[in-house]
Amino acid sequence: MSTYLSQVWLLLRNYVRGTRLQEMPKTTSLETEAVLPLGKSIKADKSVKFAQDNLQEYLYSPTLQKSLEKWTIPVNGLTSKIDNQTSGIVASGFCFKICDRQMHEEIYELLGNSALKPEIVHQLIELVVTNKKIRLELLFWRLEDFYRRWCQGEFIDGTPDNNLPQKTRLKLAAENIAIGLRQVDIYTGLNVLILLLELHRYAQERDELKQKITFYPSAQPDTDNFFTSQLLRIINYSDALEIGNFSSIVGQFLKGGNFQNAYLGDANLTGADFSGANLSFAYLGDANLTGVNFSGANLSGANLGDANLSGANLSGANLSRADLSSTNLSGANLSCANLSRADLNRADLSSTNLSRADVSHADLNRADLSSTNLSHADLSNAILFGANLSEANLRNTNLNHADLCRADLSGADLSHAILNGTNLSDTILFSTNLSNAILVAADLSYAKLNGAKLNNARLNGAMFLGADLSGVDLSRVILNEADLSGVILNEADLSGADLTDAILFGTDFSYANLNSANLSGSNLSGAILNGADLSHSDLSYAILGGADLSDANMEKMTWGKKQQWEDVRGLETAVNMPPALKEELGLN
C-alpha cells in the first residue's frame, strides 16, 4: 500500500512543480499487489477519475498561464519600442527574456500531449486577459510567429538533435505516455492555432486591440496570390491521422475568424463553427460542410460550388454574389440570409428554410426548392426557370418580375404573394394556392392551373394565353383589363370576379360560375358561355358578337341600353332571362 501512496505523492509533487499530471497506471504494480489481500486488486474508481481530470484541468490552466506570461517579458529598455509596434510581425530587433528556442521547446512540452479542451481554453483566456502582466499583443505576435514556422514544417523537419516534436515524444515516452511523432506536432500546432483564434476574437471586440491583433489562419491575402492555401494544408495534415481530426479539435473555435480568400476546396469541415466569420471570396468548392454553423458569417463572393451544406446553419449569413451552383443545401437554415445575385443554378434547396431571405436577382435556374420555406422572402427579379417549387411555402413572398417559366409550383402556397410582372408562362400550378396574391401584368400564358386557388387575387392586366383554368377558384378575383383570350375556364368559379374591360375573345366559360361577376366593357367576342351562371352579373357595354349563351342562367343580369345582340347565339335556350330583355329581343 505504501508503494501506491508514494505514486500518488509523486503525482501531486509534479503538479506543484508545474508539470502536467499524467494518468495513474491502470494496472497495479507487483509490489502493491503483494501487500493486498489475496485475490484483491486496486480498481480505478470513476469518481476518483473524474476528480483527477478536474484537478488536471484546474492546475493546467494556471501552469500554462505562467508560461504565457514569461514569454511576453521583454528585456529591459524595450518596452517603449514595443508600444509603438502595431503590425502583426515581431520586429527583428525585439528581444525577450525567454528566447525563441526556449519558448518553442516549452510550447511543445505544454501543448504536444493532447488537444485543448474548450473549458480549459475559456478558463485560460479569462486568466490571460485579466492578467495585467501579460501584454496581449506581444503574446499574439510570438504565438503567431511560432504558428507560421510550424505551418512551414520548420520543427518537424529539424535535424535529429534539433527536432522539437521528437524530443517531446521521447520525454513523453519516458513517462510511459505512448504518442506518435505526428500526433505531438499536430496537437501542438492546432493548440497554438486555437489560442490565436481566441485572442483574435477577443481583440476584435475591443477598439484598442483590433488593429494590433488580427489573425489570418490561412495567411494574409496579397495581390500576387488571390487564394491562400495554408489552412487547407493544415486541415489535410491533421486529417492524415484521422478523417475529421481538424474539425473535431479546432472546429468549435473558428467562429469570428478571418478566412477571406482562403482556399478550402474539398476540405472536411463537418460540424465546424464559422458563425460571424469572414469567408468573403473564399473557395469552398466540393467541401464537406455538413452541419456547419455559418450564422452571421460573411460569405460574399465565396465559391461553394458542389459543396455539401446539408443541415448547415446559414441564418443571417451574407452570401451575396456567392457561387452555390449544384450545391447541396437540403435542410439548411438560410432564414434572413442575403443571397442577392447569388448563383444557385441546379442547387438542392429542398426542405430548406429561406424565410425572410434576400434572394433578389439570384440565379435559381432548375434549382430544387421543393417543400422549402420561402415565406416573406424577396425573390424579385430572380431566375427560377424550370425550378422545382412543389409544396413550397411562398406566403407573402416578393416575386416581382421573377422568371418562373416552366417552373413546378404544384401544391405550393403563394397566398398573399406579390407577383407583379412575373413570368409564369408554361408553369405547373396544379392545386397551387394563389388566393389574395397580386399578379398585376403577370404572364400566365399556357400555365397549368387545374385545381389552383386564385380567389381574391389581383390579376389586372395579366396574360392567360392558352392557359387551362378549368375548375379553378377565381371567386372575387380582379381581372380587369386582363387578356384571357382562348383560355379554358369551364366550370371555373368566377363569382364576384372583376372582369371589366378584360379581353375574353374566344374564352371558354361553359358551365362557369359568373354569379355577380362584373363583365362590363369586356370583349366576349366568340366566347363560350353555354350553361354558365350569369345571374346578377353585369354585361353592360360588353362586346358579345358571336358569343354562345345557350342554356346560360341570366337571372337578374344587367345589360346596356345599346347592347348589341344580333350575332349572339343560344339566346332562345337561355334560362331566367329578364322579362325586359326578352321583350327587347322579341322572344316573348
Side-chain angles (χ1 to χ4, degrees):
M1 191 68 174
S2 59
T3 306
Y4 181 75
L5 290 173
S6 65
Q7 290 176 352
V8 175
W9 171 250
L10 179 62
L11 289 169
L12 289 173
R13 189 182 65 182
N14 285 342
Y15 269 122
V16 175
R17 290 180 177 177
T19 59
R20 269 190 89 176
L21 176 63
Q22 306 301 332
E23 287 190 6
M24 294 169 59
K26 291 183 180 178
T27 57
T28 1
S29 64
L30 291 173
E31 295 95 326
T32 305
E33 289 194 348
V35 297
L36 293 174
L38 186 64
K40 291 186 179 181
S41 61
I42 296 175
K43 294 184 179 180
D45 191 332
K46 288 184 179 179
S47 61
V48 174
K49 176 76 165 63
F50 179 74
Q52 180 181 344
D53 288 344
N54 283 350
L55 182 61
Q56 178 180 2
E57 292 173 12
Y58 177 77
L59 294 171
Y60 180 55
S61 292
T63 301
L64 184 52
Q65 180 206 5
K66 290 183 182 298
S67 295
L68 295 175
E69 182 181 325
K70 287 190 300 180
W71 299 341
T72 62
I73 301 173
V75 296
N76 293 334
L78 284 177
T79 305
S80 60
K81 187 175 180 181
I82 292 170
D83 285 335
N84 297 325
Q85 180 71 18
T86 57
S87 69
I89 301 172
V90 180
S92 57
F94 287 2
C95 294
F96 296 88
K97 287 190 175 181
I98 303 294
C99 68
D100 286 352
R101 172 68 184 181
Q102 184 180 345
M103 186 187 81
H104 297 163
E105 286 184 6
E106 292 178 5
I107 286 175
Y108 270 96
E109 289 177 7
L110 285 164
L111 302 175
N113 190 357
S114 61
L116 287 173
K117 295 180 180 179
E119 51 269 28
I120 290 179
V121 174
H122 297 150
Q123 183 184 13
L124 179 62
I125 293 298
E126 186 177 349
L127 290 170
V128 168
V129 298
T130 55
N131 188 337
K132 293 182 179 180
K133 294 181 180 179
I134 296 179
R135 301 287 298 274
L136 290 182
E137 60 269 35
L138 296 185
L139 175 61
F140 171 75
W141 293 340
R142 297 206 78 185
L143 289 176
E144 186 186 38
D145 181 61
F146 174 90
Y147 174 75
R148 180 179 54 81
R149 295 184 181 191
W150 175 78
C151 289
Q152 294 169 354
E154 177 181 321
F155 307 114
I156 199 166
D157 290 339
T159 56
D161 59 338
N162 197 33
N163 192 303
L164 296 183
Q166 178 69 357
K167 286 187 174 183
T168 304
R169 178 175 173 271
L170 292 173
K171 286 180 181 179
L172 292 171
E175 298 172 14
N176 294 320
I177 299 173
I179 189 169
L181 181 65
R182 286 183 304 166
Q183 283 177 299
V184 171
D185 192 50
I186 288 169
Y187 279 140
T188 303
L190 295 188
N191 285 334
V192 171
L193 173 58
I194 289 169
L195 294 176
L196 286 166
L197 286 165
E198 289 296 293
L199 286 171
H200 168 84
R201 193 157 58 90
Y202 174 82
Q204 293 307 300
E205 296 173 354
R206 286 153 182 83
D207 292 334
E208 69 277 11
L209 289 172
K210 62 171 55 176
Q211 296 299 322
K212 296 179 179 180
I213 299 178
T214 303
F215 179 48
Y216 297 89
S218 192
Q220 188 169 359
D222 56 49
T223 54
D224 296 330
N225 300 298
F226 187 76
F227 289 118
T228 57
S229 59
Q230 178 173 275
L231 186 59
L232 179 63
R233 293 197 302 271
I234 294 168
I235 294 170
N236 293 337
Y237 176 42
S238 305
D239 285 2
L241 295 178
E242 183 182 2
I243 298 298
N245 191 45
F246 177 87
S247 189
S248 63
I249 294 174
V250 185
Q252 59 193 308
F253 300 102
L254 298 169
K255 52 190 173 185
N258 235 333
F259 306 97
Q260 66 262 44
N261 297 91
Y263 187 93
L264 298 167
D266 292 289
N268 181 10
L269 291 160
T270 307
D273 187 355
F274 281 101
S275 57
N278 184 0
L279 290 125
S280 56
F281 300 103
Y283 184 87
L284 290 147
D286 295 290
N288 185 358
L289 302 165
T290 309
V292 171
N293 184 0
F294 281 116
S295 59
N298 181 7
L299 286 147
S300 59
N303 189 332
L304 295 123
D306 293 291
N308 186 358
L309 281 151
S310 57
N313 182 4
L314 290 140
S315 57
N318 182 4
L319 288 147
S320 59
R321 299 182 184 275
D323 183 355
L324 292 148
S325 56
S326 300
T327 300
N328 182 3
L329 284 153
S330 57
N333 181 6
L334 283 150
S335 58
C336 302
N338 181 4
L339 288 149
S340 60
R341 302 185 185 279
D343 183 359
L344 289 148
N345 179 36
R346 298 180 186 273
D348 182 359
L349 289 144
S350 56
S351 303
T352 297
N353 183 7
L354 277 156
S355 59
R356 301 186 185 278
D358 182 359
V359 202
S360 58
H361 298 275
D363 182 0
L364 289 144
N365 180 41
R366 301 190 184 280
D368 184 359
L369 291 142
S370 56
S371 302
T372 294
N373 182 8
L374 286 149
S375 60
H376 296 90
D378 183 0
L379 283 152
S380 57
N381 297 286
I383 300 171
L384 291 144
F385 182 89
N388 182 3
L389 288 144
S390 57
E391 306 295 332
N393 180 4
L394 290 146
R395 285 176 59 90
N396 297 286
T397 300
N398 181 1
L399 283 152
N400 282 340
H401 303 288
D403 184 2
L404 284 152
C405 179
R406 297 188 180 180
D408 183 359
L409 285 151
S410 55
D413 186 357
L414 282 147
S415 55
H416 299 277
I418 306 171
L419 298 111
N420 296 328
T422 302
N423 182 5
L424 290 155
S425 60
D426 207 16
T427 299
I428 300 172
L429 292 158
F430 296 145
S431 303
T432 302
N433 185 2
L434 284 154
S435 57
N436 296 288
I438 303 173
L439 294 120
V440 176
D443 185 359
L444 288 129
S445 301
Y446 301 101
K448 287 79 175 174
L449 286 145
N450 306 70
K453 292 181 180 179
L454 281 153
N455 51 298
N456 296 304
R458 287 181 55 190
L459 288 147
N460 317 52
M463 290 178 60
F464 288 90
L465 181 66
D468 186 354
L469 288 154
S470 54
V472 173
D473 184 359
L474 288 154
S475 55
R476 298 176 301 281
V477 73
I478 300 172
L479 281 157
N480 60 299
E481 298 183 354
D483 187 353
L484 289 152
S485 300
V487 174
I488 302 171
L489 283 156
N490 60 299
E491 298 184 348
D493 185 0
L494 285 147
S495 57
D498 182 1
L499 288 151
T500 55
D501 301 312
I503 302 171
L504 305 165
F505 188 83
T507 303
D508 184 358
F509 285 105
S510 55
Y511 300 98
N513 182 4
L514 287 154
N515 175 265
S516 302
N518 188 354
L519 290 149
S520 61
S522 61
N523 186 349
L524 284 155
S525 301
I528 303 170
L529 290 148
N530 61 299
D533 183 1
L534 289 160
S535 58
H536 301 277
S537 64
D538 185 357
L539 275 85
S540 54
Y541 305 105
I543 301 171
L544 294 162
D548 184 359
L549 287 162
S550 54
D551 299 316
N553 181 7
M554 302 174 73
E555 182 181 2
K556 295 184 179 180
M557 185 188 74
T558 303
W559 69 98
K561 290 181 179 180
K562 297 182 180 182
Q563 198 90 34
Q564 300 296 314
W565 299 95
E566 287 79 6
D567 297 325
V568 178
R569 296 171 290 143
L571 287 171
E572 62 279 3
T573 60
V575 297
N576 299 322
M577 186 181 291
L581 181 58
K582 272 189 176 183
E583 185 178 346
E584 182 181 329
L585 297 172
L587 294 172
N588 289 327

